[in-house]
Amino acid sequence: AQTVTQSQPEMSVQEAETVTLSCTYDTSENNYYLFWYKQPPSRQMILVIRQEAYKQQNATENRFSVNFQKAAKSFSLKISDSQLGDTAMYFCAFGGSNYKLTFGKGTLLTVNP
Amino acid sequence: GAGVSQSPSNKVTEKGKDVELRCDPISGHTALYWYRQSLGQGLEFLIYFQGNSAPDKSGLPSDRFSAERTGGSVSTLTIQRTQQEDSAVYLCASSVVTGETQYFGPGTRLTVL
């Protein structure tokens, strides 16, 4: 069974600064996807970024980028130029051959003005 | 097009009553997933559908939980004889096909008194 670990329950950052959220996972599979989802107080789970395990290049979406280290089973999210609207719970998720997503416990990120 | 929609947004019920939660996936998405989010357990997979069939029901917590999907579209999650431990946010997601990126609805918050 896969496990996903987010070791930072809470983090805070000043507006316009950069912050990195950590995620590690454990799996015996070779082909899989990794995701970061954002859940603001509205409860809607929003996809932030996706990484295919077979790709060596790290995924980037505007201010969001990942550092994917397959051998180390590490998948961190970097948010550049943090904005107040980035305040949310962030979940790291693993998607493997059984199609369901396995989520970490989440990191509550607060962006301070 | 429209995203995943869920109804009701909030549901308060008395212990022992039955409830039905509805999910409308993104048009054209063949795969549909149900998850439960609670404070103590985090995000848990419940069941997924490919078309109208449910190949994986492994996450359903008990036989009080059932789900169906008709016409390859709308899905309902039914909880019979609700218990207080069923209180949680129930999230629905859909994807173009199984294994592809899952897009989530806003969830239904269920409170069992």
Side-chain angles (χ1 to χ4, degrees), chain A residues 33 35 37 39 42-45 47 50 91 98-101 103-105, chain B residues 9-10 33 35 37 43 45 48 89 99-102 104-107 109:
Chain A
Y33 293 93
F35 304 88
Y37 284 90
Q39 189 178 41
S42 67
R43 206 169 65 204
Q44 177 89 47
M45 193 80 77
L47 176 69
R50 169 180 119 155
F91 291 95
N98 62 9
Y99 306 129
K100 63 186 179 185
L101 293 177
F103 289 88
K105 295 290 188 187
Chain B
S9 178
N10 292 283
Y33 313 78
Y35 296 84
Q37 185 175 25
L43 276 148
F45 167 82
Y48 92 89
V89 174
E100 284 297 315
T101 299
Q102 297 180 26
F104 285 80
R109 180 178 296 280

PDB file of all heavy atoms in Angstrom, chain A residues 33 35 37 39 42-45 47 50 91 98-101 103-105, chain B residues 9-10 33 35 37 43 45 48 89 99-102 104-107 109:
ATOM      1  N   TYR A  33       1.522   8.925 -10.714  1.00  0.00           N
ATOM      2  CA  TYR A  33       1.416  10.374 -10.765  1.00  0.00           C
ATOM      3  C   TYR A  33       1.491  10.916  -9.340  1.00  0.00           C
ATOM      4  O   TYR A  33       1.066  10.245  -8.386  1.00  0.00           O
ATOM      5  CB  TYR A  33       0.072  10.808 -11.366  1.00  0.00           C
ATOM      6  CG  TYR A  33      -0.114  10.465 -12.818  1.00  0.00           C
ATOM      7  CD1 TYR A  33      -0.735   9.273 -13.198  1.00  0.00           C
ATOM      8  CD2 TYR A  33       0.312  11.332 -13.811  1.00  0.00           C
ATOM      9  CE1 TYR A  33      -0.918   8.965 -14.531  1.00  0.00           C
ATOM     10  CE2 TYR A  33       0.127  11.029 -15.146  1.00  0.00           C
ATOM     11  CZ  TYR A  33      -0.490   9.845 -15.508  1.00  0.00           C
ATOM     12  OH  TYR A  33      -0.669   9.540 -16.831  1.00  0.00           O
ATOM     13  N   PHE A  35       0.507  14.622  -7.183  1.00  0.00           N
ATOM     14  CA  PHE A  35      -0.279  15.840  -7.301  1.00  0.00           C
ATOM     15  C   PHE A  35      -0.121  16.699  -6.046  1.00  0.00           C
ATOM     16  O   PHE A  35       0.100  16.190  -4.949  1.00  0.00           O
ATOM     17  CB  PHE A  35      -1.778  15.509  -7.432  1.00  0.00           C
ATOM     18  CG  PHE A  35      -2.129  14.583  -8.559  1.00  0.00           C
ATOM     19  CD1 PHE A  35      -2.100  13.207  -8.370  1.00  0.00           C
ATOM     20  CD2 PHE A  35      -2.502  15.078  -9.795  1.00  0.00           C
ATOM     21  CE1 PHE A  35      -2.424  12.339  -9.391  1.00  0.00           C
ATOM     22  CE2 PHE A  35      -2.827  14.214 -10.833  1.00  0.00           C
ATOM     23  CZ  PHE A  35      -2.790  12.844 -10.631  1.00  0.00           C
ATOM     24  N   TYR A  37      -2.762  19.412  -4.365  1.00  0.00           N
ATOM     25  CA  TYR A  37      -4.073  20.038  -4.384  1.00  0.00           C
ATOM     26  C   TYR A  37      -4.109  21.096  -3.301  1.00  0.00           C
ATOM     27  O   TYR A  37      -3.495  20.956  -2.244  1.00  0.00           O
ATOM     28  CB  TYR A  37      -5.187  19.019  -4.106  1.00  0.00           C
ATOM     29  CG  TYR A  37      -5.542  18.100  -5.252  1.00  0.00           C
ATOM     30  CD1 TYR A  37      -4.890  16.877  -5.406  1.00  0.00           C
ATOM     31  CD2 TYR A  37      -6.526  18.444  -6.184  1.00  0.00           C
ATOM     32  CE1 TYR A  37      -5.232  16.025  -6.449  1.00  0.00           C
ATOM     33  CE2 TYR A  37      -6.865  17.592  -7.226  1.00  0.00           C
ATOM     34  CZ  TYR A  37      -6.209  16.388  -7.352  1.00  0.00           C
ATOM     35  OH  TYR A  37      -6.537  15.538  -8.389  1.00  0.00           O
ATOM     36  N   GLN A  39      -6.797  23.368  -0.876  1.00  0.00           N
ATOM     37  CA  GLN A  39      -8.164  23.412  -0.363  1.00  0.00           C
ATOM     38  C   GLN A  39      -8.344  24.660   0.500  1.00  0.00           C
ATOM     39  O   GLN A  39      -7.971  24.675   1.660  1.00  0.00           O
ATOM     40  CB  GLN A  39      -8.507  22.152   0.442  1.00  0.00           C
ATOM     41  CG  GLN A  39      -9.976  22.058   0.816  1.00  0.00           C
ATOM     42  CD  GLN A  39     -10.316  20.785   1.561  1.00  0.00           C
ATOM     43  OE1 GLN A  39      -9.561  20.334   2.424  1.00  0.00           O
ATOM     44  NE2 GLN A  39     -11.450  20.184   1.246  1.00  0.00           N
ATOM     45  N   SER A  42     -13.255  27.516   1.379  1.00  0.00           N
ATOM     46  CA  SER A  42     -14.466  27.186   0.612  1.00  0.00           C
ATOM     47  C   SER A  42     -14.673  25.684   0.452  1.00  0.00           C
ATOM     48  O   SER A  42     -15.732  25.238   0.030  1.00  0.00           O
ATOM     49  CB  SER A  42     -14.394  27.818  -0.784  1.00  0.00           C
ATOM     50  OG  SER A  42     -13.354  27.209  -1.539  1.00  0.00           O
ATOM     51  N   ARG A  43     -13.652  24.904   0.778  1.00  0.00           N
ATOM     52  CA  ARG A  43     -13.714  23.438   0.786  1.00  0.00           C
ATOM     53  C   ARG A  43     -13.431  22.822  -0.582  1.00  0.00           C
ATOM     54  O   ARG A  43     -13.233  21.604  -0.690  1.00  0.00           O
ATOM     55  CB  ARG A  43     -15.104  22.997   1.283  1.00  0.00           C
ATOM     56  CG  ARG A  43     -15.190  21.661   1.924  1.00  0.00           C
ATOM     57  CD  ARG A  43     -16.546  21.502   2.578  1.00  0.00           C
ATOM     58  NE  ARG A  43     -17.640  21.493   1.638  1.00  0.00           N
ATOM     59  CZ  ARG A  43     -18.895  21.836   1.965  1.00  0.00           C
ATOM     60  NH1 ARG A  43     -19.187  22.233   3.182  1.00  0.00           N
ATOM     61  NH2 ARG A  43     -19.861  21.807   1.064  1.00  0.00           N
ATOM     62  N   GLN A  44     -13.459  23.612  -1.641  1.00  0.00           N
ATOM     63  CA  GLN A  44     -13.216  23.071  -2.981  1.00  0.00           C
ATOM     64  C   GLN A  44     -11.760  22.632  -3.107  1.00  0.00           C
ATOM     65  O   GLN A  44     -10.843  23.414  -2.889  1.00  0.00           O
ATOM     66  CB  GLN A  44     -13.512  24.156  -4.020  1.00  0.00           C
ATOM     67  CG  GLN A  44     -13.229  23.753  -5.443  1.00  0.00           C
ATOM     68  CD  GLN A  44     -14.431  23.108  -6.102  1.00  0.00           C
ATOM     69  OE1 GLN A  44     -15.526  23.627  -6.012  1.00  0.00           O
ATOM     70  NE2 GLN A  44     -14.220  21.988  -6.751  1.00  0.00           N
ATOM     71  N   MET A  45     -11.526  21.416  -3.501  1.00  0.00           N
ATOM     72  CA  MET A  45     -10.177  20.877  -3.706  1.00  0.00           C
ATOM     73  C   MET A  45      -9.754  21.256  -5.122  1.00  0.00           C
ATOM     74  O   MET A  45     -10.373  20.827  -6.112  1.00  0.00           O
ATOM     75  CB  MET A  45     -10.212  19.353  -3.542  1.00  0.00           C
ATOM     76  CG  MET A  45      -8.859  18.723  -3.432  1.00  0.00           C
ATOM     77  SD  MET A  45      -8.145  18.865  -1.798  1.00  0.00           S
ATOM     78  CE  MET A  45      -9.061  17.616  -0.959  1.00  0.00           C
ATOM     79  N   LEU A  47      -6.780  21.517  -8.104  1.00  0.00           N
ATOM     80  CA  LEU A  47      -5.500  20.992  -8.561  1.00  0.00           C
ATOM     81  C   LEU A  47      -4.513  22.134  -8.739  1.00  0.00           C
ATOM     82  O   LEU A  47      -4.807  23.122  -9.401  1.00  0.00           O
ATOM     83  CB  LEU A  47      -5.677  20.254  -9.886  1.00  0.00           C
ATOM     84  CG  LEU A  47      -4.398  19.740 -10.518  1.00  0.00           C
ATOM     85  CD1 LEU A  47      -3.821  18.597  -9.690  1.00  0.00           C
ATOM     86  CD2 LEU A  47      -4.642  19.299 -11.962  1.00  0.00           C
ATOM     87  N   ARG A  50       0.724  18.786 -11.304  1.00  0.00           N
ATOM     88  CA  ARG A  50       0.786  17.339 -11.472  1.00  0.00           C
ATOM     89  C   ARG A  50       2.162  16.963 -12.030  1.00  0.00           C
ATOM     90  O   ARG A  50       2.715  17.678 -12.865  1.00  0.00           O
ATOM     91  CB  ARG A  50      -0.306  16.908 -12.440  1.00  0.00           C
ATOM     92  CG  ARG A  50      -0.223  15.485 -12.919  1.00  0.00           C
ATOM     93  CD  ARG A  50      -1.352  15.177 -13.868  1.00  0.00           C
ATOM     94  NE  ARG A  50      -0.872  14.811 -15.175  1.00  0.00           N
ATOM     95  CZ  ARG A  50      -1.553  14.056 -16.020  1.00  0.00           C
ATOM     96  NH1 ARG A  50      -2.744  13.600 -15.679  1.00  0.00           N
ATOM     97  NH2 ARG A  50      -1.074  13.776 -17.198  1.00  0.00           N
ATOM     98  N   PHE A  91      -2.560  19.657   0.007  1.00  0.00           N
ATOM     99  CA  PHE A  91      -2.464  18.211   0.116  1.00  0.00           C
ATOM    100  C   PHE A  91      -1.591  17.656  -0.994  1.00  0.00           C
ATOM    101  O   PHE A  91      -1.776  17.995  -2.173  1.00  0.00           O
ATOM    102  CB  PHE A  91      -3.838  17.558   0.011  1.00  0.00           C
ATOM    103  CG  PHE A  91      -4.738  17.833   1.186  1.00  0.00           C
ATOM    104  CD1 PHE A  91      -5.650  18.866   1.161  1.00  0.00           C
ATOM    105  CD2 PHE A  91      -4.667  17.040   2.327  1.00  0.00           C
ATOM    106  CE1 PHE A  91      -6.477  19.122   2.240  1.00  0.00           C
ATOM    107  CE2 PHE A  91      -5.492  17.280   3.414  1.00  0.00           C
ATOM    108  CZ  PHE A  91      -6.394  18.331   3.365  1.00  0.00           C
ATOM    109  N   ASN A  98      -3.991   1.573  -8.968  1.00  0.00           N
ATOM    110  CA  ASN A  98      -5.342   1.246  -8.498  1.00  0.00           C
ATOM    111  C   ASN A  98      -6.293   2.426  -8.603  1.00  0.00           C
ATOM    112  O   ASN A  98      -7.412   2.349  -8.107  1.00  0.00           O
ATOM    113  CB  ASN A  98      -5.308   0.710  -7.064  1.00  0.00           C
ATOM    114  CG  ASN A  98      -4.768   1.716  -6.076  1.00  0.00           C
ATOM    115  OD1 ASN A  98      -4.554   2.875  -6.408  1.00  0.00           O
ATOM    116  ND2 ASN A  98      -4.545   1.269  -4.854  1.00  0.00           N
ATOM    117  N   TYR A  99      -5.852   3.505  -9.241  1.00  0.00           N
ATOM    118  CA  TYR A  99      -6.687   4.639  -9.628  1.00  0.00           C
ATOM    119  C   TYR A  99      -7.119   5.547  -8.495  1.00  0.00           C
ATOM    120  O   TYR A  99      -7.427   6.702  -8.735  1.00  0.00           O
ATOM    121  CB  TYR A  99      -7.931   4.167 -10.391  1.00  0.00           C
ATOM    122  CG  TYR A  99      -7.597   3.291 -11.566  1.00  0.00           C
ATOM    123  CD1 TYR A  99      -8.204   2.056 -11.757  1.00  0.00           C
ATOM    124  CD2 TYR A  99      -6.618   3.683 -12.482  1.00  0.00           C
ATOM    125  CE1 TYR A  99      -7.872   1.251 -12.827  1.00  0.00           C
ATOM    126  CE2 TYR A  99      -6.276   2.874 -13.554  1.00  0.00           C
ATOM    127  CZ  TYR A  99      -6.910   1.665 -13.723  1.00  0.00           C
ATOM    128  OH  TYR A  99      -6.571   0.874 -14.774  1.00  0.00           O
ATOM    129  N   LYS A 100      -7.178   5.051  -7.274  1.00  0.00           N
ATOM    130  CA  LYS A 100      -7.585   5.960  -6.213  1.00  0.00           C
ATOM    131  C   LYS A 100      -6.398   6.823  -5.797  1.00  0.00           C
ATOM    132  O   LYS A 100      -5.238   6.436  -5.969  1.00  0.00           O
ATOM    133  CB  LYS A 100      -8.103   5.182  -5.010  1.00  0.00           C
ATOM    134  CG  LYS A 100      -7.080   4.284  -4.339  1.00  0.00           C
ATOM    135  CD  LYS A 100      -7.740   3.450  -3.257  1.00  0.00           C
ATOM    136  CE  LYS A 100      -6.746   2.528  -2.590  1.00  0.00           C
ATOM    137  NZ  LYS A 100      -7.408   1.620  -1.617  1.00  0.00           N
ATOM    138  N   LEU A 101      -6.683   7.991  -5.260  1.00  0.00           N
ATOM    139  CA  LEU A 101      -5.644   8.867  -4.753  1.00  0.00           C
ATOM    140  C   LEU A 101      -5.419   8.596  -3.274  1.00  0.00           C
ATOM    141  O   LEU A 101      -6.364   8.413  -2.517  1.00  0.00           O
ATOM    142  CB  LEU A 101      -6.030  10.334  -4.943  1.00  0.00           C
ATOM    143  CG  LEU A 101      -6.105  10.849  -6.381  1.00  0.00           C
ATOM    144  CD1 LEU A 101      -6.567  12.295  -6.401  1.00  0.00           C
ATOM    145  CD2 LEU A 101      -4.756  10.700  -7.081  1.00  0.00           C
ATOM    146  N   PHE A 103      -3.803  10.430  -0.071  1.00  0.00           N
ATOM    147  CA  PHE A 103      -3.459  11.791   0.323  1.00  0.00           C
ATOM    148  C   PHE A 103      -2.607  11.813   1.583  1.00  0.00           C
ATOM    149  O   PHE A 103      -2.730  10.945   2.454  1.00  0.00           O
ATOM    150  CB  PHE A 103      -4.725  12.598   0.619  1.00  0.00           C
ATOM    151  CG  PHE A 103      -5.533  12.950  -0.590  1.00  0.00           C
ATOM    152  CD1 PHE A 103      -6.502  12.079  -1.070  1.00  0.00           C
ATOM    153  CD2 PHE A 103      -5.339  14.147  -1.252  1.00  0.00           C
ATOM    154  CE1 PHE A 103      -7.252  12.393  -2.185  1.00  0.00           C
ATOM    155  CE2 PHE A 103      -6.092  14.478  -2.364  1.00  0.00           C
ATOM    156  CZ  PHE A 103      -7.046  13.599  -2.832  1.00  0.00           C
ATOM    157  N   GLY A 104      -1.775  12.855   1.684  1.00  0.00           N
ATOM    158  CA  GLY A 104      -1.139  13.155   2.949  1.00  0.00           C
ATOM    159  C   GLY A 104      -2.112  13.862   3.866  1.00  0.00           C
ATOM    160  O   GLY A 104      -3.256  14.141   3.489  1.00  0.00           O
ATOM    161  N   LYS A 105      -1.660  14.166   5.083  1.00  0.00           N
ATOM    162  CA  LYS A 105      -2.520  14.794   6.086  1.00  0.00           C
ATOM    163  C   LYS A 105      -2.726  16.281   5.823  1.00  0.00           C
ATOM    164  O   LYS A 105      -3.599  16.897   6.432  1.00  0.00           O
ATOM    165  CB  LYS A 105      -1.930  14.611   7.487  1.00  0.00           C
ATOM    166  CG  LYS A 105      -1.874  13.160   7.934  1.00  0.00           C
ATOM    167  CD  LYS A 105      -3.239  12.585   8.217  1.00  0.00           C
ATOM    168  CE  LYS A 105      -3.143  11.210   8.849  1.00  0.00           C
ATOM    169  NZ  LYS A 105      -4.480  10.578   8.963  1.00  0.00           N
TER     170      LYS A 105
ATOM    171  N   SER B   9     -25.196  20.993  -0.414  1.00  0.00           N
ATOM    172  CA  SER B   9     -23.930  21.519   0.072  1.00  0.00           C
ATOM    173  C   SER B   9     -23.713  21.126   1.533  1.00  0.00           C
ATOM    174  O   SER B   9     -22.598  20.805   1.941  1.00  0.00           O
ATOM    175  CB  SER B   9     -23.936  23.040  -0.077  1.00  0.00           C
ATOM    176  OG  SER B   9     -22.744  23.579   0.421  1.00  0.00           O
ATOM    177  N   ASN B  10     -24.777  21.191   2.286  1.00  0.00           N
ATOM    178  CA  ASN B  10     -24.759  20.812   3.689  1.00  0.00           C
ATOM    179  C   ASN B  10     -25.993  19.979   3.996  1.00  0.00           C
ATOM    180  O   ASN B  10     -27.065  20.229   3.451  1.00  0.00           O
ATOM    181  CB  ASN B  10     -24.754  22.045   4.603  1.00  0.00           C
ATOM    182  CG  ASN B  10     -23.466  22.824   4.501  1.00  0.00           C
ATOM    183  OD1 ASN B  10     -22.448  22.451   5.054  1.00  0.00           O
ATOM    184  ND2 ASN B  10     -23.504  23.918   3.754  1.00  0.00           N
ATOM    185  N   TYR B  33     -15.282   9.272  -8.631  1.00  0.00           N
ATOM    186  CA  TYR B  33     -14.709   8.806  -7.360  1.00  0.00           C
ATOM    187  C   TYR B  33     -15.420   9.485  -6.192  1.00  0.00           C
ATOM    188  O   TYR B  33     -15.777  10.665  -6.281  1.00  0.00           O
ATOM    189  CB  TYR B  33     -13.223   9.165  -7.273  1.00  0.00           C
ATOM    190  CG  TYR B  33     -12.408   8.842  -8.508  1.00  0.00           C
ATOM    191  CD1 TYR B  33     -12.463   9.655  -9.635  1.00  0.00           C
ATOM    192  CD2 TYR B  33     -11.570   7.724  -8.546  1.00  0.00           C
ATOM    193  CE1 TYR B  33     -11.712   9.372 -10.768  1.00  0.00           C
ATOM    194  CE2 TYR B  33     -10.812   7.437  -9.676  1.00  0.00           C
ATOM    195  CZ  TYR B  33     -10.897   8.272 -10.782  1.00  0.00           C
ATOM    196  OH  TYR B  33     -10.147   7.984 -11.900  1.00  0.00           O
ATOM    197  N   TYR B  35     -14.761  10.287  -2.035  1.00  0.00           N
ATOM    198  CA  TYR B  35     -13.829  10.323  -0.911  1.00  0.00           C
ATOM    199  C   TYR B  35     -14.557  10.898   0.295  1.00  0.00           C
ATOM    200  O   TYR B  35     -15.556  11.609   0.160  1.00  0.00           O
ATOM    201  CB  TYR B  35     -12.612  11.211  -1.206  1.00  0.00           C
ATOM    202  CG  TYR B  35     -11.721  10.728  -2.328  1.00  0.00           C
ATOM    203  CD1 TYR B  35     -12.009  11.026  -3.654  1.00  0.00           C
ATOM    204  CD2 TYR B  35     -10.580   9.966  -2.055  1.00  0.00           C
ATOM    205  CE1 TYR B  35     -11.184  10.584  -4.681  1.00  0.00           C
ATOM    206  CE2 TYR B  35      -9.748   9.523  -3.075  1.00  0.00           C
ATOM    207  CZ  TYR B  35     -10.065   9.844  -4.384  1.00  0.00           C
ATOM    208  OH  TYR B  35      -9.245   9.401  -5.397  1.00  0.00           O
ATOM    209  N   GLN B  37     -13.733  13.099   3.904  1.00  0.00           N
ATOM    210  CA  GLN B  37     -12.735  13.897   4.608  1.00  0.00           C
ATOM    211  C   GLN B  37     -13.238  14.179   6.012  1.00  0.00           C
ATOM    212  O   GLN B  37     -14.254  14.838   6.206  1.00  0.00           O
ATOM    213  CB  GLN B  37     -12.473  15.214   3.870  1.00  0.00           C
ATOM    214  CG  GLN B  37     -11.367  16.055   4.477  1.00  0.00           C
ATOM    215  CD  GLN B  37     -11.056  17.295   3.655  1.00  0.00           C
ATOM    216  OE1 GLN B  37     -11.898  17.802   2.919  1.00  0.00           O
ATOM    217  NE2 GLN B  37      -9.831  17.802   3.758  1.00  0.00           N
ATOM    218  N   LEU B  43      -8.270  12.358   4.410  1.00  0.00           N
ATOM    219  CA  LEU B  43      -9.005  12.060   3.180  1.00  0.00           C
ATOM    220  C   LEU B  43      -8.929  10.564   2.885  1.00  0.00           C
ATOM    221  O   LEU B  43      -7.855  10.014   2.700  1.00  0.00           O
ATOM    222  CB  LEU B  43      -8.412  12.834   2.009  1.00  0.00           C
ATOM    223  CG  LEU B  43      -8.897  14.250   1.847  1.00  0.00           C
ATOM    224  CD1 LEU B  43      -7.818  15.139   1.270  1.00  0.00           C
ATOM    225  CD2 LEU B  43     -10.121  14.268   0.944  1.00  0.00           C
ATOM    226  N   PHE B  45     -10.393   7.262   0.509  1.00  0.00           N
ATOM    227  CA  PHE B  45     -11.084   6.797  -0.674  1.00  0.00           C
ATOM    228  C   PHE B  45     -12.246   5.910  -0.267  1.00  0.00           C
ATOM    229  O   PHE B  45     -12.110   5.071   0.628  1.00  0.00           O
ATOM    230  CB  PHE B  45     -10.108   6.016  -1.552  1.00  0.00           C
ATOM    231  CG  PHE B  45     -10.754   5.219  -2.644  1.00  0.00           C
ATOM    232  CD1 PHE B  45     -11.121   5.826  -3.826  1.00  0.00           C
ATOM    233  CD2 PHE B  45     -10.987   3.861  -2.485  1.00  0.00           C
ATOM    234  CE1 PHE B  45     -11.711   5.090  -4.842  1.00  0.00           C
ATOM    235  CE2 PHE B  45     -11.576   3.111  -3.488  1.00  0.00           C
ATOM    236  CZ  PHE B  45     -11.933   3.731  -4.677  1.00  0.00           C
ATOM    237  N   TYR B  48     -14.930   3.942  -6.525  1.00  0.00           N
ATOM    238  CA  TYR B  48     -14.866   4.612  -7.803  1.00  0.00           C
ATOM    239  C   TYR B  48     -15.671   3.854  -8.846  1.00  0.00           C
ATOM    240  O   TYR B  48     -15.910   2.644  -8.729  1.00  0.00           O
ATOM    241  CB  TYR B  48     -13.414   4.844  -8.245  1.00  0.00           C
ATOM    242  CG  TYR B  48     -12.784   3.773  -9.108  1.00  0.00           C
ATOM    243  CD1 TYR B  48     -12.893   3.801 -10.496  1.00  0.00           C
ATOM    244  CD2 TYR B  48     -12.033   2.762  -8.526  1.00  0.00           C
ATOM    245  CE1 TYR B  48     -12.287   2.834 -11.280  1.00  0.00           C
ATOM    246  CE2 TYR B  48     -11.427   1.793  -9.310  1.00  0.00           C
ATOM    247  CZ  TYR B  48     -11.553   1.841 -10.676  1.00  0.00           C
ATOM    248  OH  TYR B  48     -10.948   0.870 -11.448  1.00  0.00           O
ATOM    249  N   VAL B  89     -17.043  15.532   5.549  1.00  0.00           N
ATOM    250  CA  VAL B  89     -17.271  16.117   4.225  1.00  0.00           C
ATOM    251  C   VAL B  89     -17.084  15.006   3.193  1.00  0.00           C
ATOM    252  O   VAL B  89     -16.060  14.318   3.202  1.00  0.00           O
ATOM    253  CB  VAL B  89     -16.302  17.277   3.940  1.00  0.00           C
ATOM    254  CG1 VAL B  89     -16.458  17.767   2.504  1.00  0.00           C
ATOM    255  CG2 VAL B  89     -16.545  18.428   4.924  1.00  0.00           C
ATOM    256  N   GLY B  99      -7.345   6.844 -13.881  1.00  0.00           N
ATOM    257  CA  GLY B  99      -5.912   7.048 -13.909  1.00  0.00           C
ATOM    258  C   GLY B  99      -5.510   8.445 -14.318  1.00  0.00           C
ATOM    259  O   GLY B  99      -4.367   8.841 -14.107  1.00  0.00           O
ATOM    260  N   GLU B 100      -6.408   9.186 -14.897  1.00  0.00           N
ATOM    261  CA  GLU B 100      -6.122  10.570 -15.261  1.00  0.00           C
ATOM    262  C   GLU B 100      -6.407  11.505 -14.090  1.00  0.00           C
ATOM    263  O   GLU B 100      -6.955  11.099 -13.068  1.00  0.00           O
ATOM    264  CB  GLU B 100      -6.938  10.988 -16.478  1.00  0.00           C
ATOM    265  CG  GLU B 100      -6.411  10.423 -17.789  1.00  0.00           C
ATOM    266  CD  GLU B 100      -5.012  10.935 -18.096  1.00  0.00           C
ATOM    267  OE1 GLU B 100      -4.768  12.148 -17.935  1.00  0.00           O
ATOM    268  OE2 GLU B 100      -4.163  10.108 -18.478  1.00  0.00           O
ATOM    269  N   THR B 101      -6.052  12.749 -14.246  1.00  0.00           N
ATOM    270  CA  THR B 101      -6.187  13.735 -13.177  1.00  0.00           C
ATOM    271  C   THR B 101      -7.638  13.828 -12.706  1.00  0.00           C
ATOM    272  O   THR B 101      -8.558  13.908 -13.526  1.00  0.00           O
ATOM    273  CB  THR B 101      -5.704  15.106 -13.646  1.00  0.00           C
ATOM    274  OG1 THR B 101      -4.324  14.992 -13.994  1.00  0.00           O
ATOM    275  CG2 THR B 101      -5.877  16.155 -12.567  1.00  0.00           C
ATOM    276  N   GLN B 102      -7.824  13.818 -11.398  1.00  0.00           N
ATOM    277  CA  GLN B 102      -9.147  13.900 -10.800  1.00  0.00           C
ATOM    278  C   GLN B 102      -9.470  15.349 -10.443  1.00  0.00           C
ATOM    279  O   GLN B 102      -8.650  16.042  -9.823  1.00  0.00           O
ATOM    280  CB  GLN B 102      -9.216  13.020  -9.559  1.00  0.00           C
ATOM    281  CG  GLN B 102      -9.011  11.549  -9.885  1.00  0.00           C
ATOM    282  CD  GLN B 102      -9.063  10.656  -8.674  1.00  0.00           C
ATOM    283  OE1 GLN B 102      -9.695  10.970  -7.660  1.00  0.00           O
ATOM    284  NE2 GLN B 102      -8.423   9.499  -8.755  1.00  0.00           N
ATOM    285  N   PHE B 104     -12.213  17.786  -8.477  1.00  0.00           N
ATOM    286  CA  PHE B 104     -13.119  17.627  -7.346  1.00  0.00           C
ATOM    287  C   PHE B 104     -14.276  18.614  -7.365  1.00  0.00           C
ATOM    288  O   PHE B 104     -14.175  19.727  -7.870  1.00  0.00           O
ATOM    289  CB  PHE B 104     -12.343  17.811  -6.029  1.00  0.00           C
ATOM    290  CG  PHE B 104     -11.491  16.630  -5.677  1.00  0.00           C
ATOM    291  CD1 PHE B 104     -10.259  16.436  -6.263  1.00  0.00           C
ATOM    292  CD2 PHE B 104     -11.953  15.690  -4.753  1.00  0.00           C
ATOM    293  CE1 PHE B 104      -9.474  15.336  -5.934  1.00  0.00           C
ATOM    294  CE2 PHE B 104     -11.178  14.592  -4.420  1.00  0.00           C
ATOM    295  CZ  PHE B 104      -9.940  14.415  -5.012  1.00  0.00           C
ATOM    296  N   GLY B 105     -15.376  18.165  -6.755  1.00  0.00           N
ATOM    297  CA  GLY B 105     -16.499  19.033  -6.482  1.00  0.00           C
ATOM    298  C   GLY B 105     -16.317  19.741  -5.160  1.00  0.00           C
ATOM    299  O   GLY B 105     -15.329  19.511  -4.458  1.00  0.00           O
ATOM    300  N   PRO B 106     -17.282  20.579  -4.776  1.00  0.00           N
ATOM    301  CA  PRO B 106     -17.175  21.362  -3.550  1.00  0.00           C
ATOM    302  C   PRO B 106     -17.481  20.585  -2.283  1.00  0.00           C
ATOM    303  O   PRO B 106     -17.277  21.085  -1.188  1.00  0.00           O
ATOM    304  CB  PRO B 106     -18.196  22.479  -3.759  1.00  0.00           C
ATOM    305  CG  PRO B 106     -19.200  21.889  -4.684  1.00  0.00           C
ATOM    306  CD  PRO B 106     -18.462  20.944  -5.580  1.00  0.00           C
ATOM    307  N   GLY B 107     -17.984  19.369  -2.434  1.00  0.00           N
ATOM    308  CA  GLY B 107     -18.235  18.535  -1.268  1.00  0.00           C
ATOM    309  C   GLY B 107     -19.601  18.757  -0.645  1.00  0.00           C
ATOM    310  O   GLY B 107     -20.261  19.782  -0.852  1.00  0.00           O
ATOM    311  N   ARG B 109     -21.115  18.612   3.228  1.00  0.00           N
ATOM    312  CA  ARG B 109     -20.811  18.460   4.660  1.00  0.00           C
ATOM    313  C   ARG B 109     -22.003  17.782   5.333  1.00  0.00           C
ATOM    314  O   ARG B 109     -23.100  18.331   5.345  1.00  0.00           O
ATOM    315  CB  ARG B 109     -20.542  19.795   5.333  1.00  0.00           C
ATOM    316  CG  ARG B 109     -20.215  19.647   6.819  1.00  0.00           C
ATOM    317  CD  ARG B 109     -19.895  20.972   7.483  1.00  0.00           C
ATOM    318  NE  ARG B 109     -18.688  21.578   6.940  1.00  0.00           N
ATOM    319  CZ  ARG B 109     -17.449  21.238   7.267  1.00  0.00           C
ATOM    320  NH1 ARG B 109     -17.247  20.268   8.141  1.00  0.00           N
ATOM    321  NH2 ARG B 109     -16.421  21.862   6.739  1.00  0.00           N
TER     322      ARG B 109
END
